[in-house]
Amino acid sequence: MVTAPLTASLPLIVLVGPTAVGKTGLAISLAQAVGGEIVGADSRQVYRQMNTGTAKPTPEQQRTVPHHMIDLVDPDETLSLAEYLDGAYAHIDAIHQRGGVPLLVGGTGQYITALIDGWSVPKAAPDAAFRAEMERLAAVHGRGVLAERLRNLDPDAETFVDMRNPRRVIRALEVIRATGKPFSAQRAKTPPPYRVLHYGLTMARERLYAQADQRVNAMIAQGFIDEVQQLLTHGYSADLPSMSALGYREIAAYVENRTSLDEAVQAIYSATHDFIRRQYTWFRKHNADAEWLDKDTLDFPAWLQTVQARLAHHPAGGDGDFSQGK
């Protein structure tokens, strides 16, 4: 069972938002102003050697503000939700002990929701044979067959499992198989004792799509093709779960002469827009209490004053002045 550290009403700034909206830049500016450190909440930035295509913070950005929970596993390894939570809680606790302000930042809604809600995540070991069997089933009959199987075994799982994400569905089925219990019955919640300052970053949808497309173009210019080529050369198959990150399989198809670069880029545009729509669906359901900030109209100095005031105001039992990272 994943357990949260026993901190005493210490602050946690949460910044969630869709891909390409500008979370990294805003988070770095905020962290610099409040004496913060960033705890990543991105399920693709945990992979080493996958930098350009995942929009991982650059070495310069990581020198500017400490970043945690990135570069944790190789592309052919896995990081379970339980392992993510254990690591994130440990870093948040360590940041508090150093007198800093932790900022939980990312677009992987499940990571963020699980952490701030205190999900108790079953630690059933991965079953490679079972996963391969489920993937073959989906390949033959479509992804919907996996979701239908999960609904039949555990109707309540749909309330928190993304049924359109085959990896999430297979993991739920895997846990049920290993434990003999409904996945939903193993998801008790014990919210950690953090004082959460919960923000979401957004912008007009068509503007966001255009910005996401521009970022794809920039990634290509910055060496995304070479990055994928190196991964393939090092023996990392395009079929690996890590390579389901936006753009990697599309660029792999180009590298292997199975499509043109223009077709690959157009496919990435489409996949990214679809991913953004799915992210917003999750945010509407699980981040309803966030204060949403429009990236295009945000008055950063005014918002910073609000954040600092909230950090300085702590309830009885809290300690420390976190408004200036003290």
Side-chain angles (χ1 to χ4, degrees), residues 256-296:
E256 295 172 345
N257 297 313
R258 291 184 283 112
T259 190
S260 69
L261 180 58
D262 181 65
E263 289 171 333
V265 169
Q266 292 299 321
I268 299 171
Y269 290 166
S270 179
T272 303
H273 298 179
D274 183 58
F275 181 61
I276 289 169
R277 286 190 288 270
R278 295 201 307 273
Q279 286 180 301
Y280 272 117
T281 297
W282 179 279
F283 299 149
R284 282 194 296 269
K285 185 173 183 179
H286 297 280
N287 298 87
D289 62 340
E291 178 183 339
W292 286 90
L293 312 169
D294 189 313
K295 179 64 162 51
D296 288 331

Side-chain angles (χ1 to χ4, degrees), residues 67-255:
H67 285 69
H68 310 281
M69 298 307 292
I70 58 176
D71 289 330
L72 302 176
V73 294
D74 289 331
D76 58 352
E77 298 174 327
T78 60
L79 184 80
S80 71
L81 178 59
E83 291 170 326
Y84 171 81
L85 291 174
D86 280 342
Y89 280 132
H91 281 296
I92 290 169
D93 198 34
I95 293 167
H96 282 145
Q97 290 179 15
R98 290 191 288 271
V101 179
L103 285 75
L104 183 67
V105 181
T108 300
Q110 187 184 56
Y111 279 3
I112 291 173
T113 301
L115 191 147
I116 63 178
D117 286 356
W119 287 7
S120 176
V121 181
K123 292 185 176 180
D127 185 333
F130 177 76
R131 291 183 177 186
E133 178 187 348
M134 292 298 99
E135 289 168 358
R136 286 194 296 270
L137 185 66
V140 173
H141 299 287
R143 295 178 177 181
V145 71
L146 301 179
E148 188 60 29
R149 176 172 293 198
L150 181 56
R151 291 189 187 97
N152 290 335
L153 291 172
D154 185 3
D156 293 334
E158 192 164 11
T159 61
F160 51 82
V161 175
D162 182 353
M163 304 298 267
R164 292 179 295 183
N165 186 325
R167 292 187 304 106
R168 305 292 189 202
V169 175
I170 290 173
R171 176 57 179 167
L173 292 169
E174 182 179 58
V175 170
I176 293 171
R177 183 173 183 269
T179 64
K181 300 176 182 178
F183 191 53
S184 57
Q186 304 179 60
R187 302 303 287 264
K189 295 180 181 180
T190 306
Y194 303 141
R195 186 162 50 89
V196 176
L197 284 66
H198 195 174
Y199 298 100
L201 189 62
T202 189
M203 65 170 54
R205 188 70 61 91
E206 292 306 316
R207 276 266 302 125
L208 179 56
Y209 289 160
Q211 185 160 295
D213 293 350
Q214 291 170 6
R215 189 171 76 165
V216 171
N217 297 340
M219 288 174 174
I220 299 295
Q222 292 162 7
F224 191 13
I225 295 171
D226 289 340
E227 178 171 284
V228 174
Q229 176 69 76
Q230 290 178 17
L231 289 167
L232 296 172
T233 300
H234 291 158
Y236 295 116
S237 168
D239 293 329
L240 286 170
S242 61
M243 298 286 271
S244 67
L246 290 170
Y248 281 84
R249 287 178 179 162
E250 291 84 353
I251 295 298
Y254 165 68
V255 169

